[in-house]
Amino acid sequence: MEKRTLFSEKPVNIGIESNCDNYIMAIESSCDETACAIVKNGREVIANIVASQIKTHEKFGGVIPEIAAREHLDAINVVVQEAFDVSGLKPENITAFAGTVGPGLVGCLLVGLNAAKTLALVHDKPFIGVNHLNAHLCANYIDTELKPPFMALLVSGGHTQIIDVESYSKQTILGETIDDAVGEAYDKVARLIGLPYPGGPRLDKLAQIGNPHAFELPQAKVDGYNFSFSGLKTAVLRLVKSFDGQEMPVNDICASFQECVSKTLVKKLRHALEERGYKQVVIAGGVAANSEIRKKVFALENEGYKVFAPAMKYCTDNASMVASCAYFNTNTFDDVDVEVFSRVS
Ligand code: KG4
Ligand code: ZN
């Protein structure tokens, strides 16, 4: 696709139809990771720098947006410089600069997006604004030869969606959560049972040593490809209260919760695959790092499907997926005046 440099308005070919190598530098700062990456032709990671704020937010039990935004300000120049240093590339070697536009925390997004715009302006390169959710899906193009069409299960802290990916740029959301996102449910249940932030990965660890059949938890009945996890969260709350101060079988509760979530997700994903007749399936988003969800989705290979999942470091927020998205997906925001947005409307 032809894009333009910001000052001299020179045409630059970017994406799968480009006739030269593309090196895209991307910045991601939508939540609590300040990240900068350089990716060659959408699939080959040259640098992947992530500054995590977990230590800061741990003491509050969750992300405090104002503090997160300030930490992004402290980290942004450092991660950009490190990406240049690690890659050995200079700004003139970069084909375009990309940044996450939304959804995410507005104050946080502003830092990364303005950095990406500034780099593009100063070095007279094209600017590419990327949707964070599309970027999560594109993490599956890294180090693989995956090509659409495929079915995607996107599970993150803020979203739970089944997406029909017909082509690099044409995607249809078939269903999504009507209340809590999977990651949100993990974090809330983790807090209920007293695990520190970030709860999801910690709950996953305990679940692996518990009995998944210890407690029968309810799978919400929701129409079509939509999901609901708030009832499950309440059921866990009731279960926790039933121990009334006695020692709780924490590992078994975690394992039973994880079993219920992973079963629900994979059941609907399988239906979607059968209905569309696709043979390829991908998972994406922070919760795609979950051991049981990965296991159950990869078990679809026994039914003849080809399964893709990003490497762990590309599941949670990172900038390589943003660079990959800037390369493959043409539904981007290329106007340098684009504003950040917190939610998909
Ligand atoms: O995609 P992500 O980094 O941020 C958003 O875009 O939301 O996802 C973060 C979410 C958090 O809710 C975190 O608890 C969850 O992903 N998560 C996990 C695991 N690793 C991260 N949830 C369950 N099991 C995991 N192993
Ligand atoms: Zn994310």
Side-chain angles (χ1 to χ4, degrees):
M1 197 189 182
E2 193 176 279
K3 312 223 181 208
R4 300 251 160 198
T5 61
L6 289 182
F7 267 120
S8 56
E9 300 192 345
K10 276 199 284 261
V12 180
N13 268 319
I14 293 173
I16 46 172
E17 278 148 30
S18 169
N19 47 6
C20 59
D21 283 341
N22 284 186
Y23 291 88
I24 298 182
M25 173 178 265
I27 294 174
E28 153 65 38
S29 67
S30 65
C31 189
D32 56 348
E33 257 96 33
T34 324
C36 181
I38 301 172
V39 176
K40 180 179 173 186
N41 300 334
R43 297 194 191 263
E44 192 186 327
V45 176
I46 309 291
N48 181 61
I49 313 298
V50 183
S52 166
Q53 303 180 1
I54 285 184
K55 281 229 145 33
T56 303
H57 301 298
E58 213 165 26
K59 18 184 202 297
F60 304 107
V63 178
I64 311 289
E66 290 77 7
I67 297 178
R70 252 175 258 161
E71 292 231 345
H72 284 306
L73 274 176
D74 287 342
I76 191 76
N77 288 339
V78 180
V79 294
V80 169
Q81 189 55 52
E82 208 169 322
F84 279 124
D85 291 348
V86 164
S87 66
L89 295 178
K90 300 207 160 40
E92 55 265 34
N93 307 122
I94 301 296
T95 316
F97 290 93
T100 306
V101 179
L105 300 169
V106 167
C108 297
L109 287 161
L110 277 170
V111 177
L113 189 65
N114 280 319
K117 288 177 176 180
T118 307
L119 284 162
L121 281 164
V122 167
H123 300 294
D124 192 26
K125 302 282 179 177
F127 159 79
I128 307 171
V130 167
N131 176 305
H132 183 76
L133 302 180
N134 288 344
H136 269 300
L137 288 187
C138 292
N140 280 286
Y141 296 129
I142 296 170
D143 293 337
T144 69
E145 287 176 4
L146 171 68
K147 290 191 177 85
F150 54 81
M151 196 59 71
L153 173 65
L154 173 66
V155 274
S156 74
H159 296 84
T160 305
Q161 300 177 334
I162 292 186
I163 308 165
D164 174 355
V165 183
E166 276 176 63
S167 68
Y168 287 111
S169 300
K170 180 151 193 262
Q171 306 166 357
T172 312
I173 298 169
L174 302 182
E176 57 194 327
T177 182
I178 56 170
D179 41 54
D180 291 352
V182 188
E184 197 180 346
Y186 261 89
D187 294 339
K188 286 180 178 169
V189 166
R191 209 173 307 148
L192 274 179
I193 53 178
L195 301 178
Y197 166 88
R202 289 189 157 102
L203 199 160
D204 182 13
K205 273 226 170 73
L206 299 183
Q208 290 174 51
I209 48 171
N211 173 7
H213 307 294
F215 302 102
E216 191 67 45
L217 292 167
Q219 278 190 53
K221 292 190 177 50
V222 191
D223 285 348
Y225 296 114
N226 287 338
F227 299 99
S228 164
F229 294 103
S230 73
L232 173 61
K233 181 190 62 196
T234 311
V236 177
L237 176 64
R238 242 182 261 125
L239 180 62
V240 166
K241 280 192 173 154
S242 73
F243 288 97
D244 197 22
Q246 292 163 287
E247 199 184 327
M248 267 195 300
V250 172
N251 300 346
D252 290 349
I253 296 176
C254 291
S256 301
F257 168 78
Q258 183 141 299
E259 177 67 13
C260 184
V261 170
S262 51
K263 249 195 197 152
T264 308
L265 291 172
V266 175
K267 193 158 97 189
K268 295 225 168 173
L269 181 60
R270 182 188 282 107
H271 279 169
L273 278 165
E274 283 165 1
E275 193 198 299
R276 296 287 152 133
Y278 288 167
K279 283 288 155 223
Q280 299 189 109
V281 55
V282 317
I283 49 175
V287 191
N290 182 266
S291 63
E292 190 56 35
I293 296 172
R294 283 178 99 90
K295 194 163 128 196
K296 284 197 172 60
V297 175
F298 272 101
L300 290 169
E301 295 207 321
N302 302 329
E303 297 171 37
Y305 296 105
K306 179 96 184 89
V307 178
F308 292 83
M312 293 298 190
K313 63 182 170 193
Y314 303 130
C315 284
T316 41
D317 290 345
N318 65 88
S320 294
M321 66 184 194
V322 178
S324 180
C325 191
Y327 179 85
F328 283 111
N329 193 318
T330 52
N331 291 324
T332 47
F333 307 88
D334 299 342
D335 184 345
V336 77
D337 289 331
V338 66
E339 304 268 9
V340 300
F341 63 90
S342 61
R343 300 205 142 262
V344 190
S345 49

